[in-house]
Amino acid sequence: AVESSLSKDDLVKMLSPGTPDAERAALIKTFKAARLTIPSVEVTDKKGALTVRDIAAERIDGGRVGKLTVAGAESAGSEDMKLKVNALTLEDGDFSSVAAALLAGDPMQLGGRVGSMKFDGFNATIREDGPKDKTGTVDISMAGAESRAVMDGDVPKSATFSVKNVVVAPQKGSKLGRDLTAFGYDKLDLGMKGDVSYDVATKAFALTDFTINGANAGALTLSAALGNVDKGFYAADSNQRLASFIGANLSEVKLKFVNAGLFDRALAFVAGAKSKETVRSDWAKAAGQYIPIMLGGDASALALASEVQKFINAPKSLLLTAKAKGAPVSIIELPGLKDPVALLKRVDLSASANQ
């Protein structure tokens, strides 16, 4: 470490697993350094070892860090898991709440925030639990992940993130492989992305896009418009983040599914030896009958059920929309809207298929 406020012994104590929480918290709060470099850190237990290589941090001050880079990490010595982690870069990180969580002995207070992050992914092979003649190994990898926030002081005006190609590939003999094969897949290839914006003056928070997608499956996208969200939603402290939404409200929520094979595989799985078209017809009839009943016979329920039936019969896409009637629905009001009659007094529900 260069220009560090802690001695070498104190640095070792701060990073050692056996250091009491209160002592570690005090060291974190007082630790300042222009730059810290650690060639390697090795964590061992009875199952094996994990070596983290070339850690470098700049502008460290009481749990805050201007930039952190890690070249990578590898596991060794374990027959049940092999892991290789690629490079990670964080900028404008605030993990000062770690000290408070240690002092309180409350892991729920752990939190943090990052201005930007780039992770080059990982590769792992994990052995399934159970008898070796009935289980196997699963390869898990991720191509990468990124996030970035555009700040207005301590508050993000906008933020985006993406996770690319999380691939779960069971090998021969794997129980997961047998389960996936029954559903029509030999592996899972998943991704995720998100886009949010915030207006400090109006306290308007927009979840423009939160999407989970799967190769040969489809994409599920959530969007929402919230109001009266306190700027503390981006605080490093998790309790403060939660509190910022207590007085918030919802004016609109949309959920859209674009089918790329998942619905068809689900239909085939449920049908089994029966005709898929017979099961499809049963699902469509059930939607037409039970959706209006579940929604208390509201007039809009028939139109909603009709759109769901269109999707079942020709599954391309389905958009569900909930929009507040008049004033937005407050977050604390939601538990009282479990009854369909109460819900439909405050919310318009609609659906649109294959648009």
Side-chain angles (χ1 to χ4, degrees), residues 6 9 46 62 71 78 106 109 119 138 142 151 153 168 174-175 180 212 246 264 305 307 316 349:
L6 298 180
D9 288 344
K46 61 183 180 180
S78 173
D106 182 7
Q109 292 187 29
F119 178 39
V138 178
M142 182 173 74
M151 304 299 292
V168 181
S174 163
K175 180 181 181 301
L180 287 179
I212 300 173
I246 290 177
D264 314 86
E307 293 298 313
K316 297 176 183 177
L349 296 178

Side-chain angles (χ1 to χ4, degrees), residues 23-71:
E23 192 172 349
R24 191 195 317 278
L27 291 169
I28 291 172
K29 290 175 70 173
T30 59
F31 179 39
K32 294 183 181 182
R35 180 174 174 81
L36 173 70
T37 58
I38 303 175
S40 67
V41 174
E42 185 172 285
V43 180
T44 61
D45 63 18
K46 61 183 180 180
K47 294 184 178 180
L50 178 69
T51 301
V52 184
R53 297 180 287 103
D54 297 322
I55 304 168
E58 301 174 6
R59 304 186 303 280
I60 306 166
D61 186 353
R64 296 176 177 84
V65 58
K67 184 176 182 179
L68 172 69
T69 60
V70 180

Side-chain angles (χ1 to χ4, degrees), residues 45 47-50 74-85 122-128 137-140:
D45 63 18
K47 294 184 178 180
L50 178 69
E74 297 89 20
S75 68
S78 173
E79 295 183 358
D80 295 330
M81 184 180 76
K82 296 179 181 178
L83 174 67
K84 183 179 185 297
V85 180
F122 68 90
N123 293 276
T125 299
I126 299 173
R127 172 162 291 282
E128 296 174 316
T137 60
V138 178
D139 292 339
I140 304 174

